[in-house]
Amino acid sequence: MGSEATPEPKPGPTRGRPPRLSRDRTIDEALRLLDEGGLDALTMRRLADALNARAGALYRYFATKQGLLTAMAEQMLAGCGDVADSPDWAQTVTALAHRLRAALLAHRDGARVYAGTRSIGPNTLGFAETAVAALIKAGFAPDDAARAMFSIVHFTIGHTLEEQAAAGDLADFTPLRRALDPGTYPALAAADAALTDPSLATHFEFGLTALIDGLRVGVRK
């Protein structure tokens, strides 16, 4: 009887190359790390480690961390300016403000990332174009339309900053209720329901409506 052939060894697992570093992949990973650990934990070193790259390689795309944050802010606004045209400018800018708030809330510390950035990318400029065009069409002078747009954006960012900063601390209003002594703070005690309302969306809607009502007065002059 002949000897049995010795089976050939199976090839071991091969280690594939890591995905190629790119600007888009860097932004996507930065947003993932932001959601995982927040803005304070997002460093260029940690981002490089997550990408299996050297920190110096990131500077090929972003000269500074601020440049990275601006790119992240631009990415967060993807689709925010895609609002259907409406004959009512207030309806258009209201929809834009809600989309911006939702985009910032979709990422941990999203408002902190966005605040202070000056993106000239298509998402940011498209959002601004939609708002300013609607305001000009309604009768605002171009400069006033731009300032009105800034007012709405800044209000939205500021409100969302407060929402995200207070996340987790809104459940228990007991200390506040105890502090609202009617004898010492009669006005605040009378407004107890609003002061202890956990629905920050309600506060946002009230403030945005008040801002737009003020702009209505301006456009009628």
Side-chain angles (χ1 to χ4, degrees):
M1 177 180 284
S3 60
E4 295 183 1
T6 304
E8 295 183 5
K10 294 181 180 180
T14 57
R15 180 178 298 177
R17 292 183 178 180
R20 185 175 180 180
L21 190 64
S22 69
R23 188 177 188 277
D24 288 344
R25 180 171 169 247
T26 302
I27 296 169
D28 289 343
E29 186 63 21
L31 288 170
R32 187 190 71 79
L33 291 176
L34 176 72
D35 292 337
E36 181 181 274
L39 181 56
D40 293 334
L42 177 61
T43 65
M44 298 299 272
R45 170 64 65 184
R46 187 177 178 204
L47 177 58
D49 289 345
L51 291 165
N52 196 21
R54 296 190 177 189
L58 303 184
Y59 294 102
R60 181 190 318 167
Y61 306 108
F62 307 106
T64 64
K65 183 178 179 181
Q66 186 59 41
L68 172 65
L69 297 180
T70 297
M72 292 166 65
E74 165 69 9
Q75 180 61 28
M76 286 191 290
L77 258 65
C80 283
D82 299 335
V83 174
D85 189 30
S86 170
D88 182 4
W89 65 269
Q91 182 176 329
T92 299
V93 297
T94 296
L96 288 169
H98 280 286
R99 286 198 173 205
L100 176 58
R101 175 173 173 265
L104 300 182
L105 288 175
H107 293 280
R108 182 173 175 179
D109 291 335
R112 285 182 62 197
V113 171
Y114 188 87
T117 58
R118 294 291 183 271
S119 172
I120 55 173
N123 294 333
T124 302
L125 294 184
F127 177 91
E129 174 69 17
T130 301
V132 173
L135 290 160
I136 291 175
K137 186 177 179 180
F140 286 81
D143 285 351
D144 289 342
R147 293 187 181 99
M149 181 270 297
F150 276 129
S151 296
I152 293 167
V153 168
H154 292 164
F155 166 74
T156 303
I157 295 171
H159 192 281
T160 312
L161 277 169
E162 288 293 330
E163 287 188 74
Q164 294 186 314
D169 295 332
L170 296 175
D172 185 9
F173 287 98
T174 303
L176 176 58
R177 290 193 178 97
R178 288 174 178 169
L180 297 181
D181 175 43
T184 308
Y185 308 108
L188 295 180
D192 171 85
L195 292 172
T196 58
D197 182 0
S199 176
L200 293 181
T202 302
H203 298 317
F204 177 75
E205 194 67 47
F206 181 91
L208 180 61
T209 299
L211 177 55
I212 290 175
D213 285 348
L215 291 174
R216 286 186 190 278
V217 173
V219 76
R220 286 199 296 265
K221 290 182 179 180

